């Protein structure tokens, strides 16, 4: 690449430039003034700009008579048109890792980054990125360090650091859905959103990194946790590994035995009981628990057994909801006052493609039991096979679901007053990294 200087008056902007550069000119001018010319303007054989319109207008603003250019006269007319568009488009395809951006901005002290268009990001970090605690060396914390993931209404499972955290937990848990070998998984497109995993033959497994987040956010320090639809090993393992006492009710004997073997190997304070989740009151005293967690079956999305009491093995959606209502109503009575229930759900379609009102029904069950919806969190999941299914789905105008929901309910009448009395400030030192 040969860079040469050219008088700015000899350069011509492309008259059909589809990119509006006006809003970026000031920031680019500030960048040139601070750092000098580091990227030349690209021109064609007629000295018409191919790439670098914003730099051209910034140079004009700064009063430059001569600017560095690169000649693209070796490109055909079609290549010039394509490159002009591609040069602008490729920049749109990247996004910011906000935690890493925060670290980089924190390390820049003598240069005002708002001069280069970072006003919004700086405002966000000034307002949102306050540390939850002051570490011993006085360093500022970040939301991801203090809370595992930023405490926003969307948790992005697809981010690499969260995937790594999930993998670290899974290396310990070693649950590959072995105890669900007999489960029937329906792979029609109403499987959307259940977190299915090719490594488990399509059977869904709970994300253990999410379990860690829930324990850190919604437990008053350490305490007693339980699940009336225990399912796989993830929550019980993570909860007890973090120092809590866990009780899980699970209908399938093989799953109970497998789960118990995993927590026993680590000497964890977790107990699995083989019974119907509707009988939770037989095994757990009233008002004794500090957190209810559950990821209940998604109706017949995965049928785990032929037991008539299995919620996944019901003939109708109404019978399925009746089982969940009985179990969760009894479970709420096991919770102490001023405590949370965290329920992971995904919307499910009927055989005709219409949604059941699963989310609304869960909210109604808990409200009838005396708890109120406190947080509605979207769990963004990796796209996985969604990209393959999307084209076929759109023949029927159905979008592929790439999220689940974490519905957080509170048992109490005045959370604004009572939560800060019952719950301590979240402290997540780096020594607790998985």
């Amino acid at each position: 690449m040969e860079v040469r200087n050219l008088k700015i008056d000899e350069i011509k902007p492309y008259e059909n430039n589809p990119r509006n550069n006006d809003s970026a000119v000031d920031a680019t001018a500030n960048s040139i003034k601070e750092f000098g010319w580091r990227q030349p303007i690209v021109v064609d054989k007629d000295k018409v700009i191919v790439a670098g319109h914003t730099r051209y207008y910034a140079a004009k603003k700064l009063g430059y008579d001569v600017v560095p250019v690169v000649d693209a006269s070796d490109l055909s007319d079609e290549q010039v048109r394509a490159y002009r568009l591609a040069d602008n488009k490729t920049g749109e395809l990247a996004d910011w890792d906000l935690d890493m951006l925060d670290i980089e901005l924190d390390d820049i002290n003598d240069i005002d980054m708002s001069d280069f268009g970072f006003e919004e990001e700086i405002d966000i970090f000034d307002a949102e990125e306050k540390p939850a605690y002051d570490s011993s060396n006085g360093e500022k914390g970040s939301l991801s360090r203090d809370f595992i993931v930023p405490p926003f209404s969307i948790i992005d499972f697809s981010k690499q650091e969260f995937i790594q955290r999930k993998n670290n937990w899974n290396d310990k848990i070693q649950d590959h859905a072995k105890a669900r070998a007999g489960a029937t998984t329906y792979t029609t497109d109403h499987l959307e959103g259940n977190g299915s995993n090719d490594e488990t033959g399509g059977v869904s497994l709970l994300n253990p990194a999410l379990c860690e987040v829930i324990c850190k956010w919604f437990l008053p320090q350490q305490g007693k946790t339980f699940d009336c639809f225990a399912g796989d090993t993830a929550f019980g393992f993570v909860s007890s590994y973090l120092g809590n006492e866990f009780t899980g009710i699970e209908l399938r004997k093989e799953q109970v035995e497998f789960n118990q073997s995993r927590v026993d190997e680590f000497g964890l304070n977790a107990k699995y009981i083989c019974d119907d989740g509707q009988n939770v009151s037989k095994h757990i005293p009233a008002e004794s628990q500090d957190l209810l967690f559950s990821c209940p079956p998604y109706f017949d999305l995965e049928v785990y057994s032929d037991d008539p009491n299995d919620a996944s093995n019901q003939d109708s959606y109404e019978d399925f909801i009746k089982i969940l209502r009985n179990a969760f109503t009894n479970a709420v009575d096991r919770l102490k006052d001023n405590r949370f229930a965290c329920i992971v759900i995904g919307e499910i379609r009927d055989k005709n493609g219409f949604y059941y009102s699963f989310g609304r029904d869960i909210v109604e069950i808990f409200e009838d039991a005396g708890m109120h919806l406190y947080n509605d969190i979207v769990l963004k999941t990796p796209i996985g096979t969604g990209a393959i299914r999307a084209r076929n789905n759109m023949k029927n105008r159905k979008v592929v679901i790439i999220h689940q929901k974490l519905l957080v309910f509170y048992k109490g009448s005045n959370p604004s007053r009572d939560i800060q009395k019952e719950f301590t400030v979240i402290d997540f030192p780096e020594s607790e990294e998985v």
Side-chain angles (χ1 to χ4, degrees):
M1 182 175 67
E2 181 180 350
V3 180
R4 61 191 177 95
N5 290 326
L6 194 65
K7 290 183 179 179
I8 198 167
D9 291 339
E10 296 181 53
I11 298 173
K12 294 170 283 188
Y14 179 54
E15 62 181 5
N16 292 326
N17 182 30
R19 187 81 165 176
N20 188 336
N21 309 89
D22 294 347
S23 61
V25 171
D26 286 347
T28 303
N30 290 333
S31 176
I32 293 172
K33 187 163 53 177
E34 178 70 32
F35 311 114
W37 276 96
R38 302 299 173 192
Q39 189 175 5
I41 297 171
V42 182
V43 297
D44 66 13
K45 62 182 182 297
D46 298 317
K47 299 177 184 175
V48 175
I49 297 174
V50 179
H53 282 86
T54 308
R55 294 189 293 279
Y56 167 81
Y57 290 117
K60 285 276 216 181
K61 181 181 178 69
L62 292 171
Y64 276 70
D65 294 321
V66 176
V67 293
V69 301
V70 168
D71 193 337
S73 58
D74 58 318
L75 299 181
S76 68
D77 289 344
E78 184 178 21
Q79 286 178 315
V80 166
R81 289 177 184 274
Y83 177 53
R84 184 178 285 118
L85 298 177
D87 182 70
N88 285 301
K89 186 63 179 177
T90 51
E92 298 174 2
L93 302 178
D95 55 14
W96 292 103
D97 182 321
L98 294 180
D99 287 320
M100 295 302 295
L101 178 59
D102 185 27
I103 293 170
E104 292 299 307
L105 289 173
D106 265 355
D107 288 338
I108 299 172
N109 299 311
D110 298 325
I111 298 174
D112 185 357
M113 295 302 290
S114 65
D115 288 343
F116 315 116
F118 282 94
E119 296 96 338
E120 182 178 349
E121 287 81 2
I122 292 170
D123 288 344
I124 288 173
F125 294 129
D126 285 346
E128 310 277 7
E129 285 277 298
K130 300 300 182 183
Y133 62 93
D134 293 324
S135 58
S136 58
N137 59 9
E139 290 184 357
K140 178 181 177 181
S142 71
L143 287 178
S144 290
R145 191 182 75 182
D146 295 347
F147 301 106
I148 307 176
V149 291
F152 300 145
S153 62
I154 298 176
I155 298 177
D156 190 351
F157 281 146
S158 65
K159 284 190 172 293
Q160 186 56 46
E161 58 269 27
F162 207 66
I163 292 173
Q164 184 59 53
R165 196 169 199 92
K166 177 194 75 173
N167 292 340
N168 290 345
W169 276 113
N170 283 336
D171 286 344
K172 290 182 173 69
I173 298 171
Q174 291 294 308
D175 186 344
H176 304 294
K178 296 174 183 177
R180 297 193 189 186
T184 301
T185 301
Y186 295 99
T187 55
T188 59
D189 55 22
H190 79 296
L191 182 62
E192 298 166 347
N194 81 324
S196 62
N197 187 324
D198 291 339
E199 295 178 4
T200 65
V203 177
S204 62
L205 286 175
L206 185 63
N207 190 319
L210 172 63
C211 301
E212 182 185 13
V213 168
I214 289 169
C215 288
K216 286 293 182 180
W217 289 8
F218 300 113
L219 261 172
Q221 296 180 311
Q222 292 176 333
K224 295 182 178 182
T225 66
F226 75 114
D227 184 351
C228 51
F229 294 103
D232 64 50
T233 326
F235 187 82
F237 187 100
V238 172
S239 176
S240 54
Y241 190 92
L242 294 175
N244 304 297
E245 178 183 327
F246 173 78
T247 304
I249 312 294
E250 169 56 41
L251 190 63
R252 292 171 299 115
K253 181 181 179 182
E254 65 274 19
Q255 186 75 65
V256 168
E257 292 174 347
F258 178 82
N259 292 357
Q260 194 66 55
S261 71
R262 296 309 303 142
V263 295
D264 286 350
E265 182 176 326
F266 283 77
L268 303 179
N269 189 7
K271 180 181 180 181
Y272 287 89
I273 299 167
C274 187
D275 199 355
D276 187 338
Q278 298 176 90
N279 298 328
V280 61
S281 58
K282 294 182 179 180
H283 307 285
I284 299 176
E287 298 183 354
S288 64
Q289 302 295 298
D290 296 293
L291 174 68
L292 164 61
F293 169 83
S294 193
C295 181
Y298 291 5
F299 185 28
D300 58 356
L301 208 63
E302 293 174 10
V303 178
Y304 302 119
S305 75
D306 57 3
D307 191 310
N309 293 322
D310 191 329
S312 71
N313 187 35
Q314 300 305 301
D315 292 332
S316 69
Y317 176 77
E318 290 72 24
D319 290 340
F320 162 75
I321 286 296
K322 183 178 179 181
I323 289 177
L324 265 58
R325 177 175 288 277
N326 290 339
F328 285 142
T329 300
N330 291 330
V332 168
D333 290 339
R334 309 304 103 195
L335 270 179
K336 299 175 183 176
D337 287 337
N338 303 313
R339 295 296 187 267
F340 290 103
C342 299
I343 312 298
V344 174
I345 66 163
E347 292 297 345
I348 45 181
R349 299 182 188 269
D350 65 20
K351 305 307 180 184
N352 294 317
F354 295 111
Y355 279 131
Y356 292 107
S357 57
F358 191 29
R360 295 194 298 273
D361 290 338
I362 291 294
V363 172
E364 182 179 290
I365 287 170
F366 276 86
E367 288 185 339
D368 289 348
M371 298 188 75
H372 297 285
L373 185 63
Y374 194 70
N375 289 305
D376 185 346
I377 301 172
V378 173
L379 308 175
K380 183 179 179 297
T381 56
I383 293 175
T385 61
I388 299 173
R389 290 183 284 119
R391 191 175 300 278
N392 187 60
N393 274 23
M394 281 306 290
K395 294 176 182 177
N396 296 321
R397 301 306 189 268
K398 287 194 297 185
V399 299
V400 174
I401 300 172
I402 57 169
H403 74 280
Q404 295 170 288
K405 285 288 196 78
L406 173 61
L407 302 178
V408 181
F409 300 91
Y410 183 72
K411 186 179 182 180
S413 58
N414 195 336
S416 299
R417 178 194 66 198
D418 296 330
I419 287 177
Q420 292 189 45
K421 294 179 181 178
E422 299 278 342
F423 290 71
T424 59
V425 173
I426 295 174
D427 188 345
F428 189 74
E430 293 180 4
S431 60
E432 290 190 26
E433 291 286 350
V434 178

